[in-house]
Amino acid sequence: MAPSFAVHARRGAAALATAAVLSAAVAPAAFADGSPSPATAPGLYGKKDPQFDSVFRQSLALLAQKATDVAPPKQATDWLAGQQCADGGFAAYRADTAKACDPKAGEFTDQTALAVQGLAATGGHGDAVKKGLGWLKAHQNEDGGWGMAPGSPSDPNSTSTAIGAYAATGQDPAKVTAKGGKNPYDALIGFQLGCDQKEDERGVFAYPDQKGKLTPNDLATTAAALAALGKGYLVAPAKGGDMPVKPLECDDESAKPKDAPSAGAAAAAYLAAKIEANGGALKSAMPQGGADPALTADATLALAAGGHRDAAAKPLKWLGDGANKTADWAKGDPGRLSKLVLAVHAAGANPRDFAGVDLVQQLTATGPKAEASPSSTETKDEKKKDDDTIGIWWIVGIFFVASVGVGFLISGRNKKQQL
């Protein structure tokens, strides 16, 4: 029996993938003018400038693929692990990983905590996860929380992401105490507003300004509502009946949540009411205003994580409404697609067919291609005949990739001349 075309194609694809790795050094020369490009970061998801969010979007992509039972290519997980600094922290992006990080200016809590979540979910990089947690512990503030960078005051977003990192590795965040005996939830609850606020702000989390004044912030609230439940971004679909949202009880004007569960419940009630008032979505905090798909996806995730299925269904419906163009907003962007996948999955819908769009396929298409594996139905004779022809595929693959590398060089030079 002759080897099938499909089997040859699998073998050829594997050879091409391997040849691409071997010749990857060709591509960076195309960007000798210093302009950043994912071509200098093989394994990275997405094509936009990697300088600002590459660790973040890579981590989200790994989490979204884990949620949907997609095994990310080893190249993708290795890329993320390779971004780690020697002390365990992560920067937003390291173009040259051979160059040492600046521990006082170049490493961040949010990137480190989310990278820990992504690597813990996919497995295979236990040492990197352990070092990342060690970095977080070393930079925990005395109030139990974390700031954006080492030495900066605690804030609800960074504290929430760090809580998610410990939860993702099976540790109880409440036991991660600072030198002063405070744990992350002690810090987190301190950012929540209580009954002494306007009725529509009770339960909201606030972000501190440079003087420490707290300002209500929906982004902080979506993050804290999830963290108060002791969860990170990877949330299993809610099972059982709906858990109704329960607004903060205010018989006493000085009342406010005193523990993490009540803080999470009050935040969920605030989000549900805000979404209802805004027609199914949360609005952007930016000056131009308008509905914010990313913030709405975050709220959907947080509500679903708390078992508030009916409340989560409203922003989920908004996200799936074609009139809101959420699919266009996310297309080609791994960070946005990942947020949608995680939210849709947690809310119990199908991210492979969400409003007629396969979000999982779109996300996978933004990253490195997975290596093909031989079919379980391939016979021994087919395998032997394939092995006889694999040398030809190697030659074709190497010459093909080499020609692609030359194309990169020519394209880069032409682009530089046009500037």
Side-chain angles (χ1 to χ4, degrees):
M1 181 178 178
S4 67
F5 175 80
V7 172
H8 278 310
R10 284 198 308 274
R11 296 287 184 176
L16 288 173
T18 307
V21 173
L22 294 175
S23 61
V26 176
F31 302 93
D33 59 357
S35 59
S37 168
T40 64
L44 176 63
Y45 282 77
K47 296 181 179 179
K48 68 179 183 181
D49 191 333
Q51 287 188 97
F52 308 106
D53 76 335
S54 56
V55 165
F56 216 77
R57 77 194 193 211
Q58 189 84 350
S59 303
L60 284 173
L62 298 183
L63 287 166
Q65 290 189 316
K66 175 65 176 181
T68 51
D69 297 322
V70 174
K74 185 176 183 295
Q75 188 181 26
T77 56
D78 286 351
W79 182 90
L80 181 57
Q83 286 286 301
Q84 191 171 42
C85 302
D87 63 357
F90 281 79
Y93 171 61
R94 298 174 65 196
D96 182 4
T97 55
K99 183 179 179 180
C101 298
D102 181 353
K104 296 183 179 179
E107 301 171 35
F108 300 98
T109 298
D110 298 76
Q111 279 79 358
T112 302
L114 193 56
V116 167
Q117 292 187 46
L119 293 172
T122 53
H125 290 282
D127 289 343
V129 170
K130 185 177 180 179
K131 286 178 64 178
L133 291 175
W135 186 94
L136 290 172
K137 179 61 178 175
H139 297 291
Q140 186 180 19
N141 291 330
E142 289 189 5
D143 63 2
W146 286 266
M148 181 179 70
S152 60
S154 298
D155 68 70
N157 296 81
S158 296
T159 300
S160 295
T161 312
I163 287 174
Y166 283 97
T169 56
Q171 299 187 46
D172 182 356
K175 295 181 179 179
V176 185
T177 55
K179 292 180 181 179
K182 298 286 187 179
N183 68 55
Y185 295 124
D186 293 325
L188 190 65
I189 294 172
F191 296 109
Q192 190 169 34
L193 303 183
C195 294
D196 56 347
Q197 303 296 310
K198 296 185 296 183
E199 185 174 352
D200 61 354
E201 290 183 350
R202 294 170 180 170
V204 68
F205 277 79
Y207 203 91
D209 62 17
Q210 292 182 342
K211 296 182 180 180
K213 181 181 178 181
L214 295 176
T215 302
N217 185 282
D218 287 352
L219 179 60
T221 307
T222 60
L226 188 61
L229 299 169
K231 295 183 179 182
Y233 280 93
L234 184 58
V235 175
K239 296 181 179 180
D242 173 63
M243 177 72 72
V245 292
K246 186 178 180 181
L248 185 62
E249 294 183 2
C250 289
D251 295 334
D252 181 355
E253 288 188 359
S254 63
K256 64 175 297 183
K258 293 181 172 58
D259 56 31
S262 60
Y270 164 82
L271 291 172
K274 193 75 175 287
I275 288 168
E276 182 71 29
N278 291 341
L282 289 179
K283 291 184 178 180
S284 171
M286 302 300 289
Q288 68 269 22
D292 187 332
L295 196 54
T296 303
D298 288 342
T300 305
L301 179 66
L303 290 169
H308 309 296
R309 303 184 70 172
D310 289 349
K314 293 180 180 179
L316 183 70
K317 182 179 179 182
W318 185 92
L319 291 169
D321 188 341
N324 297 319
K325 299 183 179 180
T326 302
D328 293 339
W329 164 82
K331 190 174 183 179
D333 187 306
R336 294 176 176 182
L337 284 166
S338 297
K339 282 204 167 193
L340 282 179
V341 168
L342 290 166
V344 171
H345 170 76
N350 182 9
R352 295 181 182 277
D353 184 13
F354 184 62
V357 177
D358 188 340
L359 299 173
V360 180
Q361 186 278 327
Q362 287 193 7
L363 172 61
T364 302
T366 68
K369 299 293 185 292
E371 293 185 8
S373 58
S375 169
S376 59
T377 59
E378 184 179 0
T379 67
K380 292 182 179 179
D381 289 340
E382 286 177 332
K383 184 178 185 301
K384 183 178 184 302
K385 292 178 181 179
D386 283 345
D387 290 340
D388 292 339
T389 60
I390 193 65
I392 298 175
W393 281 107
W394 270 104
I395 296 172
V396 173
I398 291 172
F399 275 100
F400 173 79
V401 176
S403 68
V404 172
V406 173
F408 270 123
L409 288 169
I410 296 173
S411 174
R413 289 172 181 167
N414 289 341
K415 184 184 297 184
K416 187 173 180 180
Q417 291 172 356
Q418 293 171 2
L419 295 178

